[in-house]
C-alpha cells in the first residue's frame, strides 16, 4: 500500500534512468536538485539502474509504453533504438555550443535529426610518466624510438591492450583504414594491413598478454613509461606517479593523427514529454555542465566551457582527432573477428595480411543472412499432438493411484514441484521454443529446424574449424573425461590417505583440502589465470627457478587445455574426496585386514575389496561431476577464454558466444543448448544403466 501511494505521488515526475556511480552520480544528483528547486512543477526523479542490465530493461520496457521518460547511455545503439522507437529526436540546444564530434555521433548517416543531448565523452589518450618520458612523442616514429629505448629487463616504453579491437582502432584510422568501407564492413583493406603491421611491431616491444589490471600495475610501478588508456584510468593512477596526458601521436607513414573511437554519454528522450524535453535541453547548458565537470570530473561536450585540469584538457584536444563509435548494426558483429585476428597477430601465429583476411572471413560467417522463414502450422499441430499425448500418459499413470491417501505427502512435495516447474521446466521449454526462431534486426522469425541443421551440418564453420559443433563436442568430451579421471583419482587417493590413523592432524587436512571447493569458482579461475601469465605468472616463475624456459600457456591448444584442466581439477577433487571419505566410513576395516592376512597386496585389497564397496556411492558422484564438468563455463571463459582461436571452447561457452558476441543470435544459441541437453540425456541414460539404476 505504501509503495502504491509513493508511486501515485510521483506519477507526474520526469523519470530519469542512469547507471552513473561515484562522483558522476553525485554531480547528477546536484544538477537534478538544482532543477527541482527552480521548477517545483517539473520535478525530475533520477533512478539508478546497473549498467549491465540497463540496455535490456530499456529494450523490454520502452516499446511497451513503460520505463523512463529520459535515460543516460552510450550512443552506439542509436541505429537500433531509433528503428525500434526507443528514442525520439530532439532539437539542437541553442543555449550552449556543443562539440561537433559529439553532435555528429548522435546523427545517423541518412538522417540529419539529433537523437539525444550529448553530455560527456570518453576516448583513449596517451599517458606518460614524466620521470621516464618528460615530453610525449608527437609521431609514431618517435613513439617506436621511445618504446625501444625504454625497453629493458621487466621494463617497457609503451604498452596497451594490443589484442583489443577498441584499443587498436586509433592506428587503423591513423593509417586511413577502419571497420567500414564504401560498401560495408571492410576489414582486409591495404590501409588496415599497414596498420596491423605497425601494431605487430609495437606489440612486440611491450609486455606479453597485457590486460587492463596489469597495465595499471606496471604504470604505477614505473615499469611502463607510456600507455594508451581512457579517462577512467585517471582514478587508477597512483598518487606517487608524476604523469601527463597527451593526444595520441600522428602516424608518420600517413601524416594522419591516431584517431581513437569516442563514446558519447547521451541523455536520450524515451517519451515525448514537454517537461522531459525542457530538462534535457537544460542539462547541456554550460551551467549544468560545469557542475558535472567540477564535481563529476566528466569530459563534458560543451565546447566553450573552460577546462583547467591538464589531464581533462588533453582529452579535449584528443576529441578533435577522434572518430565517433559507429552506430550501425553491423558494428557489433565485428568485435570478435577483429579481436581473434589481433590475438593471432600478437602471438605470431599469422602475419598482418592473413590476420586482416581471416577477420573479414569470420565476419562474413557470423553476419550471413538469417535462414528462410518456415511455416509454423505443422509445428502447432505437432505441439498439440505432443501435449495430448503427454496428458494421456499422465492420466494413465495416475489412474488408480491412491492420491487421497497420500495427500499430505503431495502437500509436502508441492513447493519443490512448483519451484522446479518455474525455475527449470518452464525456462527449458521457452529455450527449446526459442531454438526454432531466428533473432535478426530486433525481430523474431520462425525458422523451424534451420538452426539445428546449420549446427549439425557445419554450415557456418567447416568440420576442421575449432568453432564447429563437432570439433567443440570432441573437445568437450576430452575435457570432461580428463577432469573426471583426475577428480576421482586424486579425490579417492586423498580419501584413502586421510582415513589412515597414522596421519597426524587429519581433521585439519580435511578442512584445508575442502577449501578449493568452497571458494567461488570464478575467483579460483581468475587466480589461476594470473598464475599462468606468460611473464608474471607464478607457474612460469617456478619453471624459470628450476632452469626451464617459460611457456606461453594460451598460445597453443595443448598448454591452454592443460591450464584449463589444472584449474578445474583444483576445483573438483575435494567433492570426490568428501564423497569417498563418507563411503569409507561404512566399509569395515576387518574385510581389508582379512585380505591382508590372506596375502593380498595393498593394490589387490583396494581393487578387489575397497573399490567394489565404494562404487555404489562413487558412481552417482561421477555422473553428477561429469554433468557439472561438461557445462563448466566459468573455467573455460575466465582462464583460457577459448584460446587459441576458440580451440579450447566447450559447447556451453560456444553457445554463450553465439548469443552475446556474434550478433545476438539467440535462436542459434538456444539450439546449441538443446543439443547440449540431448547429449547429457544420452549420457545420463547410459550412466544410469551402468550404475544399475532405473532408467527414466
Amino acid at each position: 500500500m505504501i509503495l502504491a501511494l509513493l508511486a501515485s505521488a510521483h506519477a507526474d515526475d520526469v523519470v530519469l534512468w542512469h547507471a552513473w556511480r561515484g562522483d558522476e552520480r553525485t554531480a547528477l544528483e546536484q544538477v537534478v536538485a538544482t532543477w527541482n528547486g527552480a521548477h517545483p512543477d517539473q520535478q525530475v526523479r533520477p533512478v539508478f539502474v546497473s549498467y549491465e542490465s540497463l540496455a535490456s530493461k530499456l529494450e523490454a520496457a520502452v516499446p511497451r509504453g513503460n520505463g523512463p521518460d529520459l535515460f543516460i547511455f552510450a550512443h552506439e545503439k542509436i541505429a537500433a533504438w531509433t528503428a525500434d522507437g526507443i528514442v525520439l529526436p530532439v532539437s539542437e540546444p541553442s543555449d550552449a555550443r556543443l562539440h561537433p564530434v559529439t553532435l555528429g555521433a548522435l546523427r545517423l548517416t541518412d538522417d540529419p535529426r539529433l537523437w539525444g543531448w550529448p553530455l560527456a565523452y570518453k576516448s583513449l589518450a596517451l599517458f606518460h610518466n614524466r620521470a621516464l618520458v618528460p615530453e610525449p612523442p608527437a609521431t609514431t616514429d618517435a613513439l617506436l624510438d621511445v618504446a625501444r629505448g625504454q625497453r629493458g629487463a621487466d621494463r617497457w616504453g609503451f604498452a596497451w591492450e594490443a589484442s583489443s579491437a577498441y584499443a587498436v582502432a586509433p592506428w587503423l584510422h591513423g593509417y586511413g583504414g577502419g571497420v567500414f568501407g564504401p560498401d560495408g564492413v571492410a576489414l582486409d583493406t591495404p590501409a588496415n594491413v599497414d596498420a596491423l603491421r605497425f601494431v605487430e611491431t609495437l606489440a612486440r616491444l611491450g609486455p606479453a598478454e597485457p590486460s587492463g589490471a596489469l597495465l595499471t600495475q606496471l604504470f604505477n610501478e614505473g615499469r611502463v613509461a607510456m600507455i594508451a588508456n581512457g579517462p577512467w584510468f585517471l582514478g587508477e593512477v597512483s598518487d606517487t606517479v608524476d604523469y601527463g596526458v597527451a593526444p595520441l601521436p600522428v602516424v608518420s607513414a600517413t601524416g594522419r593523427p591516431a584517431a581513437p573511437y569516442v563514446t558519447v554519454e547521451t541523455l536520450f528522450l524515451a517519451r515525448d514529454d514537454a517537461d522531459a524535453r525542457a530538462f534535457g535541453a537544460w542539462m547541456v547548458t554550460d551551467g549544468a555542465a560545469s557542475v558535472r565537470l567540477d564535481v563529476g570530473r566528466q569530459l563534458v561536450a560543451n565546447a566553450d566551457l573552460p577546462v583547467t585540469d591538464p589531464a581533462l584538457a588533453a582529452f579535449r584536444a584528443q576529441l578533435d582527432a577522434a572518430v565517433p563509435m559507429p552506430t550501425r548494426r553491423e558494428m557489433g558483429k565485428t568485435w570478435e573477428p577483429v579481436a581473434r585476428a589481433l590475438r593471432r597477430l600478437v602471438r605470431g601465429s599469422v602475419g598482418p595480411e592473413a590476420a586482416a583476411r581471416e577477420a573479414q572471413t569470420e565476419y562474413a560467417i557470423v553476419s550471413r543472412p538469417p535462414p528462410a522463414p518456415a511455416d509454423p502450422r505443422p509445428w502447432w499441430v505437432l505441439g498439440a499432438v505432443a501435449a495430448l499425448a503427454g496428458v494421456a500418459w499422465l492420466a494413465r499413470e495416475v489412474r488408480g493411484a491412491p492420491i487421497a491417501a497420500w495427500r499430505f505427502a503431495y502437500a509436502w512435495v508441492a513447493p519443490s514441484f512448483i519451484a522446479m516447474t518455474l525455475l527449470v521446466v518452464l525456462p527449458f521449454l521457452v529455450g527449446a521454443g526459442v531454438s526454432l526462431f531466428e533473432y535478426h534486426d530486433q525481430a523474431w522469425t520462425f525458422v523451424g529446424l534451420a538452426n539445428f541443421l546449420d549446427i549439425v551440418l557445419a554450415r557456418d564453420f567447416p568440420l576442421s574449424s575449432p568453432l564447429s559443433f563437432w570439433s567443440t563436442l570432441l573437445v568437450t568430451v576430452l575435457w570432461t573425461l580428463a577432469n573426471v579421471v583426475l577428480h576421482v583419482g586424486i579425490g579417492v587417493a586423498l580419501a584413502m590417505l586421510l582415513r589412515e590413523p597414522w596421519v597426524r592432524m587429519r581433521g585439519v587436512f580435511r578442512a584445508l583440502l575442502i577449501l578449493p571447493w568452497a571458494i567461488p569458482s570464478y575467483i579460483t579461475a581468475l587466480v589461476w589465470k594470473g598464475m599462468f601469465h606468460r611473464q608474471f605468472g607464478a607457474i612460469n616463475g617456478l619453471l624459470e627457478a628450476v632452469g626451464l624456459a617459460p611457456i606461453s600457456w594460451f598460445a597453443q591448444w595443448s598448454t591452454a587445455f592443460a591450464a584449463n584442466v589444472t584449474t578445474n581439477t583444483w576445483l573438483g577433487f575435494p567433492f570426490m574426496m568428501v564423497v569417498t571419505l563418507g563411503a569409507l566410513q561404512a566399509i569395515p576395516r576387518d574385510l581389508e585386514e582379512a585380505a591382508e592376512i590372506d596375502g593380498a597386496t595393498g593394490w589387490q585389497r583396494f581393487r578387489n575389496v575397497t573399490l567394489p564397496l565404494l562404487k555404489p556411492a562413487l558412481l552417482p558422484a561421477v555422473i553428477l561431476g561429469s554433468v557439472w564438468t561438461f557445462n563448466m563455463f566459468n573455467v573455460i571463459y575466465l582462464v583460457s577464454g577459448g584460446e587459441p582461436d576458440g580451440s579450447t571452447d566447450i559447447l556451453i561457452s560456444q553457445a554463450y558466444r553465439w548469443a552475446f558476441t556474434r550478433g545476438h543470435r539467440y535462436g542459434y544459441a538456444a539450439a546449441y543448448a538443446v543439443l547440449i541437453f540431448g547429449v547429457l540425456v544420452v549420457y545420463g541414460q547410459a550412466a544410469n544403466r551402468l550404475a544399475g539404476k532405473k532408467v527414466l
Side-chain angles (χ1 to χ4, degrees), residues 31 36 41 55 61 102 141 340 413 448 477 505 631 683:
V31 170
N36 288 341
D41 298 329
T102 64
D141 285 346
R340 286 167 53 82
V413 173
V477 172
M505 302 175 63
N631 285 329
Y683 167 75

Side-chain angles (χ1 to χ4, degrees), residues 616-659:
L618 204 54
L619 282 177
V622 169
I623 296 172
L624 183 60
S626 300
V627 174
W628 285 346
T629 304
F630 197 90
N631 285 329
M632 181 51 73
F633 174 82
N634 286 355
V635 171
I636 300 297
Y637 185 78
L638 296 175
V639 178
S640 74
E643 287 298 297
D645 301 329
S647 60
T648 57
D649 267 325
I650 59 176
L651 291 176
I652 192 67
S653 59
Q654 283 284 19
Y656 170 85
R657 297 187 195 284
W658 282 109

Side-chain angles (χ1 to χ4, degrees), residues 204-223:
R204 290 178 179 175
L205 297 175
E209 301 176 9
S211 64
L214 178 62
L215 294 179
T216 299
Q217 177 185 345
L218 295 178
F219 189 78
N220 286 335
E221 293 175 352
R223 298 163 67 185

Side-chain angles (χ1 to χ4, degrees), residues 102-113:
T102 64
L103 289 173
L106 302 182
R107 290 190 171 96
L108 301 178
T109 304
D110 54 351
D111 191 339
R113 291 179 293 177

Side-chain angles (χ1 to χ4, degrees), residues 457-585:
L457 299 179
R459 290 175 176 171
D460 289 306
F461 294 97
L463 288 174
S464 58
S465 170
L467 302 183
S468 74
F469 172 81
W470 297 106
S471 295
T472 307
L473 176 61
L474 178 60
V475 172
T476 307
V477 172
L478 291 174
W479 155 260
T480 304
L481 182 63
N483 277 284
V484 171
V485 168
L486 290 172
H487 291 171
V488 174
I490 296 174
V492 171
L494 288 173
M496 294 292 294
L497 178 63
L498 291 176
R499 76 164 182 164
E500 296 298 330
W502 54 267
V503 176
R504 296 176 179 272
M505 302 175 63
R506 286 183 296 170
V508 174
F509 285 121
R510 289 175 181 176
L512 291 176
L513 289 172
I514 292 175
L515 286 179
W517 188 35
I519 296 174
S521 61
Y522 69 91
I523 295 178
T524 300
L526 291 174
V527 170
W528 279 95
K529 169 77 170 180
M531 292 173 64
F532 283 114
H533 192 273
R534 169 66 177 80
Q535 285 182 291
F536 304 103
I539 305 297
N540 279 343
L542 292 174
L543 293 178
E544 291 178 325
V546 297
L548 299 176
I551 298 173
S552 183
W553 288 93
F554 306 113
Q556 54 188 353
W557 182 87
S558 58
T559 52
F561 186 80
N564 287 339
V565 170
T566 301
T567 303
N568 201 54
T569 299
W570 175 260
L571 283 167
F573 80 83
F575 173 72
M576 294 298 176
M577 183 191 73
V578 170
V579 171
T580 305
L581 278 172
L584 286 173
Q585 304 300 317

